[in-house]
Amino acid sequence: MPKRLMKGCEALAQAAILAGCRYYFGSPVAQQTELSAYLSKHLPLVGGTYVQAADEISAINMVYGAAAAGAKVMTSGSSTGMSLKQEGISGIAASELPCVIVNTMCGGSVAGASCPAQADYWQATRGGTHGDYRNIVFAPCSVQEMTDMTIAGFNYADRFRTPVLILADSIVSQMMEPVELPKLPLDYDIDSKKWALGLPGTNKHNKNVCASTFTVQDELEEHNWHLYQKYQVIAKHFTEEDKDLAIEEYMCDDAEIVLVGYGIIARLLKTVVEKCRKRGVKAGLARPKVLWPFPTQAFKKLAQNTEKFMVIEMSCGQLVEDVKMAVNGAKPVYFFGRTGGAVPSDFEIFNEVSKLVCLD
Amino acid sequence: MSSTVERVILAGFSGHGIFFMGNTLAEAGMRAGKNVSLVPSYSSKPKGGLINCALLISEKEIASPMITVPDTVIAMNRTSVNKFNQKIKGGGMLMYNSSLIDRQEFRDDIRLVEIPSTEIAAELGEPKTANMVMAGAYAKFSKLVTVEEIENSIRFLLKDENKDVIELNIESVKKGYDYVEEKKYMFGRYVHSVFRV
Amino acid sequence: MSMNFQPDQLQTMIVEAVDAVAPTSGIVGVAPVSCGAFIYDGFDFDFCQSLPGCAPAVASGIKRVRPKALVFTYQNGMDLAAAGISEVIHAANRGENISVIYADNGSCGLDCTEESRIKICELLSSLNNPVYITRVVATDKDNKAAIKSIKNAFKLQQENRGFSFVEILLVSSDDESKETKALMEELPSKVFVDKYGVEKA
């Protein structure tokens, strides 16, 4: 199949359609306007439904309903919208409903600014709101990954009955790159989920209930442990079966310093690694592609061979905590970050790295 | 760095067709079998805000799509020249729309190419196609895209437009290319190896 | 004031109305938060819980996926008139093909402690898209009018007409206090919108 030049968020939208998503609820927001625009044009062509919800809370609850009814469904938002959606996402996670949620991060709190940032790492990987739950979080770094991870996201969402978050930033969402769209069978049967609500027939005496509220303490505890066990299974899956999907390692075999970053930052880091290697500094790159479950084992292994880690982020330091936890004090973990919409340049990062290397 | 990567910044006001120019060149690069990436950056003003695109065309896989030091800057207005002039790599190229930008003390370690693109486009009937004139002029210098590929990408990108619009755009590209070929515009001391002489 | 919230009675009404319209392709109810969240125990068809006030949005999602199913929300004052007032207004404005059953006991706000009476029917009837908006009184002795209204709403939904809204004022039949009378005057029982004339038929 020939490659097509596409914007990140448009490729994501097309991938969603290919994955069988026929329902989108959301509204065009800066940094991913094209996603909504694309779906509003293309979903009706394949018999899908696009609803521009009045607000984000409305949108996530429509997703809740559509997912409960058995559809493959998606919504998207930029940071602010994601915060509004959190309560709904907690409900979706607790009710064990599959859906894909796209977050194109922007800088700052509250309204923030339409600029690239990675300040939502904690929100994304720690569940996001009250309740003991987690979401699978993918962090694409290229337009091709926007496509692949969306398709994978829909599959994992259905497989584990859990929301999947695509944590992109405005650069990946807005940039154009050639992308290869896979050909997938379009035979998703909306009645295939036996737990779904409103299945054809009179469904009397065979009712499905989609609930996450329990008044009896024992029931609630049982439910929470059930969720926890599911998350353990997911974590195991990403450390054992889908290892390659969880992390990308670049020139790490003999690296003395391993640079760590996700999303667009990892692309910059690749350039930095090349620069370092040219100047005789043995640098490598570890890029977590799945942020939750975090590839802890992979980092443990890296810690055995390398001397130090340096985490680079477009935030004041969020991913760095997960890396520190994974490395568990075995090797020092340094941090360099820019925030508020500033993207560090490869020169800037290189300077920081050389400072570290010269210290010894 | 290597001679197989071109880092180009396209800049101007929104309304100048900066993004479309970038899109066309990226599409042309992709059609030529190269790796490309295009990162737009714009202000929130619908018209008159500054917009720029970072375009990479490369033989190798592209690591970072961001540009710190551009090989080439294509500037459509004065503000863009001010913004990017100092960032251009020594021996790089500044190609600017001389219909809107006066010639003045630019750096002397880069190649300057003036194209009166708005005038050329106006002669063809529509000053809005100044961006395509620039794209054509750029094709003359670029190792990695050709006029034919730009032409093909315009036909693809504008496939929903009417025929006149497509032809006008293609005509503008050719005019830009011919202009550079006739004038052999070259100021500055250095000619960097990225470009054909 | 003795305004009894009578969930079992409401269930009876809904069940009777559902049986009367005899849906053939799935029935889904959407429950509110708080005590009403467990209303599904009393029904033998699919039910979905929802977040505070978001039942109309959840129902919209379900209905879009299952256009043939009968989808309704059951909401109380705290849910519909406080937390989710925007959801019901926007669902109504979109003309979403769902039925909203609003059990009003004359209060709203968290824990139903606020005595401000927001006239939802009047508010919604200013919109263009709802096809049926009505307010009825139901007591523990007489709930015929309420059942009929719910039936009308369900029928309209089955005919793909659009958004229908039934507000049921729950009053105890032996309550003859001044406050209750004042409330019933303030919230009169009437049909606000009836685009397809189902009330007379």
Side-chain angles (χ1 to χ4, degrees):
Chain A
M1 198 150 169
K3 286 195 172 187
R4 275 170 71 183
L5 190 68
M6 281 182 107
K7 265 200 173 191
C9 50
E10 286 178 345
L12 191 153
Q14 179 61 36
I17 292 176
L18 289 175
C21 170
R22 290 292 175 273
Y23 296 88
Y24 174 90
F25 304 95
S27 40
V29 189
Q31 310 200 47
Q32 40 101 13
T33 319
E34 292 87 349
L35 198 161
S36 302
Y38 191 92
L39 286 174
S40 68
K41 192 173 163 193
H42 289 84
L43 265 183
L45 298 180
V46 290
T49 302
Y50 170 95
V51 179
Q52 188 165 322
D55 59 64
E56 308 283 0
I57 298 171
S58 219
I60 195 69
N61 282 291
M62 290 181 200
V63 169
Y64 188 116
K72 287 196 180 188
V73 55
M74 182 166 86
T75 184
S76 65
S78 301
S79 296
T80 326
M82 282 306 287
S83 297
L84 288 165
K85 286 189 171 103
Q86 287 304 331
E87 191 190 17
I89 298 174
S90 121
I92 292 172
S95 310
E96 295 192 85
L97 298 175
C99 70
V100 170
I101 302 156
V102 183
N103 180 7
T104 47
M105 293 179 279
C106 63
S109 320
V110 198
S114 301
C115 49
Q118 298 181 323
D120 300 359
Y121 180 86
W122 282 336
Q123 187 197 50
T125 56
R126 266 64 178 167
T129 170
H130 62 277
D132 251 348
Y133 73 97
R134 299 280 193 150
N135 303 320
I136 299 176
V137 184
F138 287 111
C141 80
S142 65
V143 177
Q144 185 65 52
E145 278 196 357
M146 287 284 257
T147 318
D148 300 343
M149 286 182 174
T150 306
I151 292 167
F154 275 102
N155 292 339
Y156 282 117
D158 272 359
R159 180 166 166 190
F160 296 115
R161 283 183 64 178
T162 188
V164 172
L165 227 74
I166 310 278
L167 195 66
D169 49 69
S170 65
I171 300 176
V172 178
S173 158
Q174 288 292 319
M175 72 192 266
M176 287 185 105
E177 271 183 337
V179 58
E180 206 177 327
L181 295 166
K183 259 204 148 79
L184 295 172
L186 291 173
D187 58 353
Y188 174 67
D189 178 12
I190 205 155
D191 298 332
S192 61
K193 292 169 181 163
K194 291 296 156 227
W195 47 264
L197 305 180
L199 291 169
T202 49
N203 65 5
K204 286 217 161 181
H205 310 293
N206 184 27
K207 69 169 176 179
N208 291 326
V209 173
C210 169
S212 58
T213 312
F214 301 92
T215 42
V216 186
Q217 190 199 336
D218 292 349
E219 280 178 23
L220 182 57
E221 187 175 10
E222 195 187 315
H223 181 69
N224 283 354
W225 282 118
H226 163 69
L227 288 179
Y228 174 78
Q229 272 157 12
K230 186 172 81 177
Y231 298 142
Q232 293 299 102
V233 172
I234 297 172
K236 200 175 160 201
H237 176 85
F238 281 104
T239 37
E240 285 171 12
E241 285 171 51
D242 267 338
K243 265 191 231 164
D244 298 341
L245 199 78
I247 188 165
E248 180 196 350
E249 291 174 21
Y250 177 67
M251 293 193 168
C252 280
D253 293 342
D254 61 339
E256 285 164 7
I257 177 165
V258 171
L259 308 180
V260 186
Y262 67 99
I264 191 68
I265 287 289
R267 301 277 297 267
L268 280 164
L269 293 183
K270 222 172 208 179
T271 313
V272 176
V273 167
E274 279 162 15
K275 258 189 190 141
C276 288
R277 290 273 168 176
K278 260 186 197 153
R279 287 163 178 75
V281 178
K282 284 185 178 164
L285 162 70
R287 171 173 76 95
K289 296 200 278 192
V290 181
L291 301 181
W292 193 90
F294 193 74
T296 309
Q297 293 302 327
F299 275 92
K300 270 193 185 136
K301 216 181 233 174
L302 281 173
Q304 291 167 3
N305 301 324
T306 189
E307 286 175 11
K308 56 185 81 145
F309 291 89
M310 184 174 190
V311 182
I312 293 97
E313 282 179 80
M314 286 194 282
S315 74
C316 299
Q318 304 193 357
L319 166 71
V320 64
E321 294 196 353
D322 270 349
V323 176
K324 275 183 183 164
M325 269 198 274
V327 173
N328 201 11
K331 295 286 155 67
V333 179
Y334 300 92
F335 169 74
F336 173 67
R338 293 290 303 271
T339 177
V343 185
S345 73
D346 41 352
F347 290 85
E348 213 175 333
I349 301 170
F350 177 72
N351 281 345
E352 294 296 320
V353 174
S354 32
K355 271 188 225 163
L356 271 187
V357 178
C358 293
L359 275 176
D360 312 333
Chain B
M1 224 192 283
S2 69
S3 60
T4 50
V5 187
E6 277 180 24
R7 296 180 182 79
V8 189
I9 284 184
L10 320 164
F13 286 131
S14 46
H16 268 146
I18 300 296
F19 188 72
F20 183 69
M21 174 164 45
N23 197 352
T24 313
L25 290 172
E27 180 81 33
M30 185 184 76
R31 279 161 186 266
K34 308 290 188 286
N35 292 303
V36 292
S37 75
L38 180 72
V39 180
S41 143
Y42 28 80
S43 69
S44 47
K45 294 178 196 160
K47 290 271 177 227
L50 278 181
I51 170 167
N52 64 72
C53 288
L55 167 70
L56 259 89
I57 307 176
S58 168
E59 298 272 3
K60 287 197 304 179
E61 197 187 323
I62 294 170
S64 166
M66 313 294 282
I67 299 179
T68 320
V69 181
D71 297 314
T72 300
V73 168
I74 301 178
M76 297 298 279
N77 61 4
R78 179 75 223 167
T79 335
S80 305
V81 174
N82 291 345
K83 194 170 172 191
F84 293 107
N85 190 23
Q86 293 306 320
K87 291 186 178 162
I88 302 172
K89 190 176 191 166
M93 173 166 76
L94 171 64
M95 184 185 273
Y96 63 95
N97 180 359
S98 58
S99 309
L100 302 180
I101 305 166
D102 298 333
R103 188 190 299 176
Q104 51 201 289
E105 290 294 309
F106 288 120
R107 287 164 55 181
D108 61 358
D109 61 339
I110 53 175
R111 179 199 293 206
L112 293 172
V113 179
E114 348 182 281
I115 315 281
S117 52
T118 308
E119 284 161 43
I120 296 174
E123 271 170 37
L124 288 172
E126 177 57 81
K128 275 193 246 168
T129 59
N131 57 348
M132 290 295 106
V133 175
M134 283 304 215
Y138 174 74
K140 174 74 184 118
F141 292 97
S142 169
K143 268 184 181 174
L144 300 176
V145 287
T146 64
V147 172
E148 291 72 38
E149 279 145 6
I150 294 178
E151 195 181 319
N152 291 336
S153 5
I154 290 175
R155 284 191 202 285
F156 173 73
L157 292 172
L158 298 180
K159 58 181 180 294
D160 297 332
E161 299 284 336
N162 70 38
K163 216 171 160 236
D164 294 348
V165 176
I166 299 174
E167 291 310 320
L168 183 66
N169 277 287
I170 290 170
E171 191 65 18
S172 307
V173 171
K174 285 180 179 156
K175 264 273 150 55
Y177 186 89
D178 294 344
Y179 182 83
V180 177
E181 198 161 56
E182 282 163 25
K183 287 271 177 176
K184 296 199 165 57
Y185 253 117
M186 265 152 240
F187 306 125
R189 288 184 210 146
Y190 305 105
V191 177
H192 184 52
S193 61
V194 171
F195 305 103
R196 289 196 278 256
V197 183
Chain C
M1 185 168 19
S2 65
M3 300 275 249
N4 296 341
F5 177 63
Q6 300 140 319
D8 52 335
Q9 207 194 333
L10 245 162
Q11 280 168 12
T12 329
M13 291 189 244
I14 293 173
V15 167
E16 264 187 49
V18 166
D19 284 345
V21 296
T24 52
S25 186
I27 311 155
V28 188
V30 183
V33 284
S34 74
C35 323
F38 301 98
I39 194 173
Y40 61 78
D41 279 340
F43 296 109
D44 56 1
F45 44 78
D46 293 358
F47 239 88
C48 186
Q49 288 184 348
S50 67
L51 301 173
C54 297
V58 173
S60 306
I62 296 171
K63 186 72 185 182
R64 297 277 178 163
V65 179
R66 305 270 172 206
K68 283 183 191 155
L70 179 70
V71 181
F72 69 92
T73 76
Y74 157 75
Q75 295 176 270
N76 50 32
M78 178 259 153
D79 197 65
L80 187 138
I85 196 159
S86 80
E87 301 300 340
V88 72
I89 288 175
H90 283 289
N93 197 36
R94 281 197 305 274
E96 208 71 57
N97 190 24
I98 55 171
S99 309
V100 173
I101 299 163
Y102 171 33
D104 191 0
N105 58 357
S107 64
C108 71
L110 198 66
D111 296 334
C112 301
T113 47
E114 202 179 314
E115 282 274 332
S116 73
R117 284 151 204 162
I118 295 176
K119 299 175 180 174
I120 302 287
C121 282
E122 281 84 343
L123 270 174
L124 292 180
S125 53
S126 69
L127 302 171
N128 289 331
N129 286 329
V131 292
Y132 183 59
I133 297 176
T134 183
R135 182 187 289 126
V136 286
V137 175
T139 66
D140 40 359
K141 292 210 176 111
D142 179 19
N143 59 12
K144 291 228 166 60
I147 293 174
K148 195 183 161 217
S149 298
I150 300 174
K151 217 162 52 183
N152 286 341
F154 286 173
K155 245 186 216 152
L156 283 166
Q157 191 190 138
Q158 283 179 325
E159 291 163 10
N160 289 327
R161 302 291 193 191
F163 185 85
S164 48
F165 184 90
V166 180
E167 175 174 341
I168 301 170
L169 208 53
L170 295 159
V171 181
S172 189
S173 58
D174 52 3
D175 182 359
E176 287 177 359
S177 64
K178 256 189 215 161
E179 290 94 333
T180 308
K181 280 199 177 126
L183 176 75
M184 282 162 72
E185 261 168 41
E186 205 181 318
L187 303 173
S189 297
K190 72 177 206 190
V191 179
F192 290 85
V193 176
D194 187 7
K195 279 194 186 164
Y196 294 95
V198 281
E199 196 64 33
K200 281 174 203 148

